[in-house]
Amino acid sequence: MIIDSHVHIGSIGRFDMKPEYVIDSMERYGIDYSLVSSIAGVECNEDHTPLPENWAYDQLNTNAEALAFARENEGKIGVLPWCRPHTEGFRDEFARLITERRKYVKGLKFHPYYSMLPITAPQIEPYLDFAAAEGLPVLVHSSNDEYSQPRFVYEAAKAHPNINFIMAHVGLITDNNEAIELIGSLPNLYGDTAWVKPESGLKLMKKYGAHKLLFGTDNPIDGPDTYAHPFYKTYFNEFRKWVTPDDYELLMHGNAERIFHL
């Protein structure tokens, strides 16, 4: 069994991640279940300028579309609603959308770069309070920009020990070492394999345990054949020779099942 814990839909700017790409790639590459968030929820352009009016989606419409996709593909798709803390913030109608369709909601998704806020910002606290009350884990983009530093995810996880945090990318565009050490230092902090070199994934698992890493890919960010990237081909194939069968099962589905209550 394979669960991809980091998948997207949505078309905005240079990204065009159609729902049919997700389903098609899952069928062709043997993915059993995907946790999806919609990039239509981004709050700014890549250069942090305001979005054109015809690009901007509000928090409700962005996530209603993702939830409809899950409902149409029940048993294959779960949703991590994309949060917009900078331009909208936590609102009652957002909470109602989630609680009314809680069957399909498996966590929350934050992208600090596209929100121009670190996960430690005060604007995010109401979302985290809600996540704690609902028992929802939190997936957070991490990288080397000013908003997405791995240490911010660590600080949020330390401040909220009753929430499981997944540090997506284990520090994108870095050597992953700082992120690995931070993930290893807290029981409620994990990483995913999205654009993580297999050697770094192996280092994290060997040093801190196979329970600390989830399979995730950003599919279909590179199109319908994102899973053909050498990183993911290695996780599918050679990686299973580097770890025990039990540890491989944890990586590819067991950790996601436990953390996201699947």
Side-chain angles (χ1 to χ4, degrees):
M1 183 177 187
I2 301 177
I3 296 173
D4 190 336
S5 62
H6 189 157
V7 175
H8 296 295
I9 59 170
S11 297
I12 190 165
R14 66 186 178 91
F15 297 114
D16 185 20
M17 294 189 267
K18 293 181 171 63
E20 54 265 36
Y21 290 174
V22 173
I23 298 301
D24 176 65
S25 61
M26 288 175 67
E27 292 174 351
R28 288 191 294 117
Y29 289 91
I31 310 301
D32 298 282
Y33 193 85
S34 292
L35 290 164
V36 172
S37 57
S38 174
I39 64 163
V42 301
E43 298 187 82
C44 65
N45 283 311
E46 290 187 60
D47 61 358
H48 287 158
T49 57
L51 290 171
E53 285 188 16
N54 62 324
W55 283 12
Y57 275 62
D58 64 34
Q59 205 162 227
L60 288 182
N61 286 327
T62 293
N63 293 306
E65 289 183 2
L67 288 161
F69 177 50
R71 189 169 59 251
E72 292 162 5
N73 295 276
E74 192 157 341
K76 292 184 177 180
I77 301 294
V79 177
L80 306 180
W82 188 292
C83 302
R84 292 169 51 87
H86 192 148
T87 54
E88 292 186 60
F90 187 83
R91 297 181 179 180
D92 289 344
E93 55 266 35
F94 176 71
R96 279 197 301 273
L97 178 70
I98 291 176
T99 54
E100 288 172 359
R101 305 182 194 181
R102 184 67 174 80
K103 176 181 180 180
Y104 304 106
V105 175
K106 307 303 178 182
L108 298 180
K109 168 65 187 281
F110 292 89
H111 201 300
Y113 182 85
Y114 281 118
S115 291
M116 296 185 292
L117 287 173
I119 191 65
T120 52
Q123 296 95 317
I124 293 174
E125 284 300 307
Y127 291 95
L128 298 182
D129 290 341
F130 178 75
E134 289 290 324
L136 294 170
V138 174
L139 177 67
V140 187
H141 170 87
S142 69
S143 188
N144 66 350
D145 65 83
E146 62 181 304
Y147 302 108
S148 310
Q149 294 289 315
R151 70 177 182 276
F152 297 147
V153 189
Y154 164 84
E155 289 168 7
K158 187 174 182 180
H160 298 274
N162 55 341
I163 301 174
N164 285 321
F165 286 79
I166 300 92
M167 187 190 294
H169 311 296
V170 192
L172 190 66
I173 320 176
T174 72
D175 62 9
N176 307 119
N177 287 327
E178 177 192 18
I180 288 171
E181 294 307 311
L182 293 172
I183 290 168
S185 67
L186 290 176
N188 63 322
L189 185 55
Y190 304 85
D192 77 18
T193 65
W195 306 116
V196 175
K197 294 177 183 177
E199 294 79 5
S200 291
L202 181 66
K203 179 177 181 179
L204 173 54
M205 290 176 67
K206 291 291 188 183
K207 190 167 186 179
Y208 293 111
H211 67 291
K212 297 294 277 183
L213 188 64
L214 292 73
F215 181 69
T217 66
D218 255 347
N219 184 52
I221 196 168
D222 278 355
D225 287 307
T226 296
Y227 290 123
H229 188 279
F231 281 7
Y232 303 133
K233 289 173 73 174
T234 300
Y235 281 111
F236 288 141
N237 298 304
E238 289 87 351
F239 203 91
R240 66 171 65 240
K241 303 172 188 174
W242 301 349
V243 298
T244 68
D246 286 348
D247 286 354
Y248 190 72
E249 294 298 312
L250 286 176
L251 170 67
M252 301 307 286
H253 67 90
N255 293 332
E257 288 172 323
R258 183 183 78 254
I259 294 167
F260 291 103
H261 308 293
L262 301 179

